Amino acid sequence: LVSGTSTLIVPGNPQRLNLITRNIGNLVVYVGQDSNVTTLTGIPLNQNDVLNDDNSGTGGYKGPIYGVLTSGTSKVAYWERVQ
């Protein structure tokens, strides 16, 4: 669950090859690469929006993903493929 406080959604993983993150809640979730993400600095994920990082083995983003809301709580799911 993501809330009004910056929340870790996906931990960093140096073995990551692909990552799909989907907002399965009803509220907009703002995502970023560190715990300082805010609703002003994060990338908005609306309900059912997907963030797809398909590295195809080329070494894309392997760090954490954090999320925050303006208020309330929402659910975010992810799928990760690793080496």
Side-chain angles (χ1 to χ4, degrees):
L1 286 175
V2 179
S3 67
T5 303
S6 179
T7 305
L8 180 65
I9 298 172
V10 182
N13 185 343
Q15 303 299 313
R16 179 181 301 145
L17 296 175
N18 303 86
L19 177 66
I20 299 171
T21 307
R22 181 175 177 209
N23 180 359
I24 59 174
N26 296 324
L27 302 173
V28 178
V29 177
Y30 298 85
V31 298
Q33 297 178 345
D34 61 42
S35 60
N36 295 318
V37 65
T38 69
T39 57
L40 297 175
T41 62
I43 298 170
L45 283 182
N46 294 305
Q47 182 181 17
N48 293 318
D49 277 357
V50 174
L51 177 65
N52 184 5
D53 186 13
D54 182 2
N55 302 324
S56 299
T58 60
Y61 183 68
K62 298 182 186 315
I65 296 179
Y66 286 83
V68 67
L69 305 174
T70 54
S71 66
T73 60
S74 192
K75 293 181 180 179
V76 177
Y78 74 93
W79 175 87
E80 179 178 55
R81 184 171 67 96
V82 298
Q83 296 181 31

